[in-house]
Amino acid sequence: MSGRTAASSRVAQVDALRGFALFGILMVNVWFFADSSHLAGGRDPSTVSGADRLIRFAVVMFFEGKFYLLFSLLFGYGSVVLAATAGAERERLATRRLVFLAVLGVVHGLTLFYGDILLTYALAGAILAAAASSAPRARLGLAAGITLGMALLLVVVAVLLLGPAGTDASAARVGPTASPADALAANAATYGVVLPSVLFFQGPLALAAFFAGSALAMLGVLRPEVPPRKVLWRVVVLALPLGLAGSACSAGLDVWGGGSAASVLGTGISVVASPLVTVGYAASLLLVLGSRGGRAVTAVLAPAGRLSLSNYLAQSAVLCLVFTGYGWGLMDRLPSVMVVVVVVVLFAAQAAASSLILSRYRTGPLEWALRRFVRGSSRRPSGPPAGPDGG
């Protein structure tokens, strides 16, 4: 199967991978909206049903820490593609892009979702830009070093929490809200509390993925063809079983370990295991995209991936309407199974809407705004795509 969309220099597989990442991110983020105890570490185990525990285990094992990592890899990959197409203006355009993402991230974090990642992406992207002269091997080394360093730090913290001074102090808690004003106030207050942990925990891991993704782009992976199926199968066999084994251990500590020490240790294990799962997922999806049914899968995932910025913000807006005082206020009212149904229905709607939008325009609304800010063009393009937008 060709790696390019018609009349475009975009790589369809990259868009599909990005759409796949959006689905996984939605499956993780939804619980911050649906469950008031999620930010504080989850509900009291004695009050949780067996089905709820199994769903929580599955989310931690198969989703948490994997899909935002995939999205980060693709962000780093895209930064190299953008630099290659921007020519002499690449530094100015990259700076304006990061400024746009930072401002949008703060607005998103204050108003819709306190766990916003865009500001963190902008700051990590600035560090990546400062290392523009580094070679692919150095970037891969930095990615591995940052990841292992974060994992080691978490193990040390877990050990300290086992001592006499260790506590099970809860994080900030976001309760149900009854009105838009309540929802806005609660979200803004929580954003200020959560932001440091997002910056200093997710930030380094996102930066590591940026370095790895940019190195892959520099090495020519997916530009323009996917690796041979034999290579992809080798990646799946080597990475996925080991990564999922570590993720299962991490999920077990999270769900049944009890206490902060077990949870932190599980997170440390996840930091090491998640990159293996992420790479295994990516290779698995590329195998599917190259199969007989690959065109249908690409048709579902790629449009959502091309409109990734618009869809990421739209996910938060819809979840706010469903679960907070902005709308129906269903936080803590839906069983876990129904929360999963919300995720599937919402992503299916986004995939359909993305396809419809792209039948008329080359970009989504926020992608158009980003391009206008970065390049100064005020005309929203329509019709078939003419080139990569770097999404």
Side-chain angles (χ1 to χ4, degrees):
M1 186 176 76
S2 172
R4 307 258 180 199
T5 58
S8 171
S9 58
R10 295 188 66 97
V11 179
Q13 288 92 339
V14 173
D15 288 328
L17 285 168
R18 194 176 287 114
F20 184 50
L22 279 171
F23 172 74
I25 289 170
L26 176 59
M27 184 65 78
V28 173
N29 287 350
V30 67
W31 304 99
F32 292 98
F33 295 87
D35 183 357
S36 64
S37 69
H38 188 73
L39 185 59
R43 287 175 283 173
D44 183 343
S46 64
T47 67
V48 178
S49 69
D52 287 341
R53 289 191 187 186
L54 287 176
I55 290 174
R56 173 61 186 162
F57 179 86
V59 170
V60 175
M61 178 175 174
F62 295 107
F63 291 90
E64 281 195 5
K66 286 79 177 174
F67 287 90
Y68 94 88
L69 200 61
L70 177 57
F71 203 81
S72 301
L73 278 167
L74 296 171
F75 187 97
Y77 183 97
S79 69
V80 173
V81 176
L82 282 170
T85 60
E89 288 192 305
R90 60 181 178 271
E91 291 186 9
R92 182 183 69 85
L93 297 180
T95 298
R96 291 179 67 85
R97 181 178 184 235
L98 294 176
V99 169
F100 183 93
L101 292 178
V103 173
L104 184 61
V106 171
V107 173
H108 178 229
L110 287 172
T111 60
L112 295 176
F113 179 39
Y114 54 80
D116 167 78
I117 196 66
L118 294 179
L119 174 60
T120 303
Y121 268 28
L123 296 174
I127 297 174
L128 179 66
S133 61
S134 57
R137 183 174 298 181
R139 295 179 185 225
L140 292 173
L142 283 169
I146 293 171
T147 301
L148 292 175
M150 288 296 297
L152 179 60
L153 177 61
L154 288 166
V155 171
V156 171
V157 171
V159 171
L160 293 176
L161 288 172
L162 290 172
T167 65
D168 286 335
S170 301
R173 188 182 182 96
V174 181
T177 50
S179 70
D182 289 343
L184 176 61
N187 191 83
T190 308
Y191 178 62
V193 175
V194 169
L195 182 59
S197 66
V198 175
L199 290 175
F200 296 111
F201 173 64
Q202 283 189 298
L205 296 176
L207 177 61
F210 284 8
F211 278 125
S214 63
L216 293 177
M218 294 169 72
L219 293 170
V221 177
L222 296 177
R223 301 180 68 195
E225 300 296 333
V226 301
R229 292 182 66 84
K230 183 184 297 185
V231 174
L232 293 175
W233 273 115
R234 190 174 301 162
V235 171
V236 172
V237 170
L238 293 177
L240 205 51
L242 184 59
L244 287 175
S247 295
C249 180
S250 172
L253 288 169
D254 182 274
V255 177
W256 291 288
S260 296
S263 179
V264 173
L265 178 59
T267 303
I269 295 172
S270 177
V271 165
V272 176
S274 290
L276 297 174
V277 178
T278 298
V279 171
Y281 281 173
S284 298
L285 181 59
L286 290 173
L287 284 168
V288 171
L289 297 179
S291 68
R292 183 171 299 178
R295 289 179 180 269
V297 178
T298 301
V300 172
L301 294 177
R306 285 188 58 188
L307 274 59
S308 57
L309 185 59
S310 295
N311 281 324
Y312 173 64
L313 273 292
Q315 287 176 358
S316 295
V318 173
L319 293 178
C320 279
L321 290 174
V322 173
F323 293 108
T324 77
Y326 282 121
W328 298 336
L330 295 181
M331 177 179 277
D332 292 339
R333 297 185 183 182
L334 293 184
S336 296
V337 172
M338 287 305 300
V339 173
V340 174
V341 171
V342 168
V343 170
V344 174
V345 171
L346 174 52
F347 185 77
Q350 287 193 304
S354 298
S355 183
L356 180 62
I357 290 171
L358 289 172
S359 69
R360 298 187 59 188
Y361 303 103
R362 287 191 300 183
T363 63
L366 285 176
E367 288 77 15
W368 169 79
L370 172 59
R371 177 176 290 183
R372 179 177 178 180
F373 178 82
V374 171
R375 297 186 180 273
S377 172
S378 61
R379 180 176 178 269
R380 184 171 179 180
S382 61
D389 61 14

